[in-house]
Amino acid sequence: MQDQLRELLQFLHDKNPQARQIALENLLPHTPKDAPHRSIFFEGAQSQGGLQKPKESAVIRDLKLLCRDNLAIAHDAFRALVNLSDPPLLHASLTEPSFLTFLVSYLVHPQATLGDLAAMLLSNLSASPSVCAAILALQIPILHTPSSAGPFYPTQSRAGSCAPPVRALPFLVDAFVQGASIDASVPLDKRTRKSELHFLASVFANLSTSPPGRLFFLTPQPVDLLEPEATDNAEYPLAKLVVFTEHKDTIRRGGVASLIKNCSFYTQGHQAILTSESDTVIVPPSDAPAPGVDALQHILLPLAGPEEYDLDAQEQLPEALQFLPPTKAREADAVLRRTHVETLLLLCTTRWGRDYLRAHGVYEVVRALHEQETDESVSEHVERLVNLLKRDEGPDTAQNLRVEEIDEDDDEDTRIEEI
């Protein structure tokens, strides 16, 4: 059987598209992690040792090229690479500059029909710190085309072209935001953006496990990415993403919850994370002001139920949490509830953060959560949070605290093994 499958590999670069498609259709079932003949895809991929890059196998090179083929072939090629992207041995091959530029450009392109598969692939790859560093530094060439269906055209998504490069990550953030507004009832050919891109939330969560990644989300970017000189109209990238903590898709809201938590490890960003968007804040080392992220309401909403609070407590709460309907349900996933409580714990590491949480009714929300909580781990974290909020403050508590046993989220649970 394995020898028969090897014979199919040569047809992945056949001149006949039908031959390429049939070969790939028959090889695809053998790409998942538990497939008995999966090793044929790694033959020829060797680690050179030392500082040398691993040698790329011919079949992986073919699959990368097939991602640019017609829709049916590209669909199966993306699926194969998603399934094969777990071994670190392939990361160098799948993130070499030309393919990474294509992959990110494709995700940015509004007409990318297979964007969701491409997002899964990038999500898997971003579990590697070296890949995260490459994404953070990546620049892609685009053409400004205001007369077309979209306001820009990422040239590498189809063919190479000469254009001034721009930083890719802000465009990925905008593509992710646009993907959330897709109406599934609208036919694919009528949509301005073809893919929902939920898995980019996992990419952002993985990027934010490093200090440079956190700084990106807490450094103002122009609202109009095609007008980068318009620094008087800027916002924090994190501000675009916090609104998804109650999105219906678990991957999207889970990745964003992890992103907020990871950014909260940067104590100099606490004021920007919590401050209302009506006020401007500066996050060092940048000296550019931007409206606050106003994240507290989006952290608390998943933790809040239909409880009624007394009038004094209700007036303290962020406006979005006042007068919640009797049908309001808490986040169903205990892991995500814990993530939000851990974020609040991290925001308590600064005196300013603790005072802000006290003044905005956080205690009332987590007290009600604790009364209904069935997960022991979440309950324990709530108790730690309450101890910090209810403690007496004095000159000796002015310094930042250290909250133990909270790790950065790398969103490992969202890695794709088989599709």
Side-chain angles (χ1 to χ4, degrees), residues 295-369:
L296 184 59
Q297 59 180 319
H298 303 293
I299 299 169
L300 291 180
L301 275 170
L303 303 177
E307 295 83 13
E308 294 184 6
Y309 305 99
D310 63 54
L311 189 58
D312 290 340
Q314 193 154 273
E315 289 179 346
Q316 284 188 313
L317 292 169
E319 188 175 344
L321 280 92
Q322 298 178 12
F323 306 107
L324 292 173
T327 56
K328 173 65 174 73
R330 289 186 174 84
E331 167 60 57
D333 191 320
V335 173
L336 299 190
R337 293 199 302 275
R338 172 174 164 166
T339 299
H340 289 302
V341 176
E342 288 176 333
T343 300
L344 294 171
L345 277 167
L346 289 167
L347 293 170
C348 279
T349 56
T350 56
R351 173 65 184 272
W352 187 92
R354 294 193 297 278
D355 288 342
Y356 190 93
L357 298 188
R358 292 180 185 121
H360 289 81
V362 170
Y363 170 72
E364 299 296 334
V365 175
V366 297
R367 181 172 66 88
L369 166 66

Side-chain angles (χ1 to χ4, degrees), residues 33-249:
K33 194 171 185 178
D34 57 354
H37 304 296
R38 190 181 192 229
S39 61
I40 64 170
F41 298 99
F42 304 107
E43 293 173 354
Q46 304 171 7
S47 177
Q48 302 295 302
L51 299 177
Q52 296 184 44
K53 294 181 180 179
K55 184 179 179 181
E56 182 177 53
S57 72
V59 63
I60 298 300
R61 184 168 60 249
D62 285 342
L63 289 172
K64 287 160 56 177
L65 290 172
L66 292 176
C67 288
R68 300 173 183 250
D69 214 314
N70 66 52
L71 183 60
I73 295 175
H75 178 274
D76 285 353
F78 271 121
R79 287 184 62 191
L81 289 178
V82 168
N83 291 341
L84 295 169
S85 58
D86 56 301
L89 183 65
L90 292 186
H91 284 180
S93 174
L94 294 178
T95 58
E96 51 84 16
S98 64
F99 185 71
L100 187 61
T101 298
F102 159 73
L103 185 62
V104 172
S105 297
Y106 187 79
L107 283 162
V108 165
H109 198 311
Q111 301 301 307
T113 307
L114 303 176
D116 291 324
L117 287 173
M120 290 181 189
L121 177 57
L122 192 63
S123 173
N124 278 3
L125 296 173
S126 67
S128 164
S130 62
V131 177
C132 285
I135 296 171
L136 285 165
L138 183 67
Q139 292 189 321
I140 58 173
I142 65 169
L143 292 175
H144 190 184
T145 57
S147 60
S148 68
F152 59 87
Y153 178 74
T155 58
Q156 287 292 321
S157 62
R158 279 184 173 266
S161 181
C162 184
V166 295
R167 191 176 188 183
L169 195 47
F171 285 87
L172 276 181
V173 170
D174 275 10
F176 176 76
V177 172
Q178 294 161 13
S181 62
I182 287 178
D183 184 350
S185 64
V186 176
L188 189 64
D189 60 344
K190 302 293 184 183
R191 300 178 190 174
T192 55
R193 179 167 287 280
K194 307 299 187 186
S195 303
E196 295 174 310
L197 306 180
H198 296 317
F199 275 87
L200 285 183
S202 303
V203 176
F204 301 149
N206 290 335
L207 293 174
S208 63
T209 59
S210 70
R214 292 171 201 145
L215 272 182
F216 165 77
F217 292 103
L218 290 171
T219 299
Q221 301 287 331
V223 173
D224 185 351
L225 298 179
L226 300 176
E227 297 291 340
E229 303 303 321
T231 54
D232 57 333
N233 189 16
E235 63 183 333
Y236 294 107
L238 184 62
K240 296 181 176 182
L241 304 174
V242 293
V243 297
F244 299 119
T245 57
E246 286 211 302
H247 194 274
K248 62 182 180 180
D249 185 84

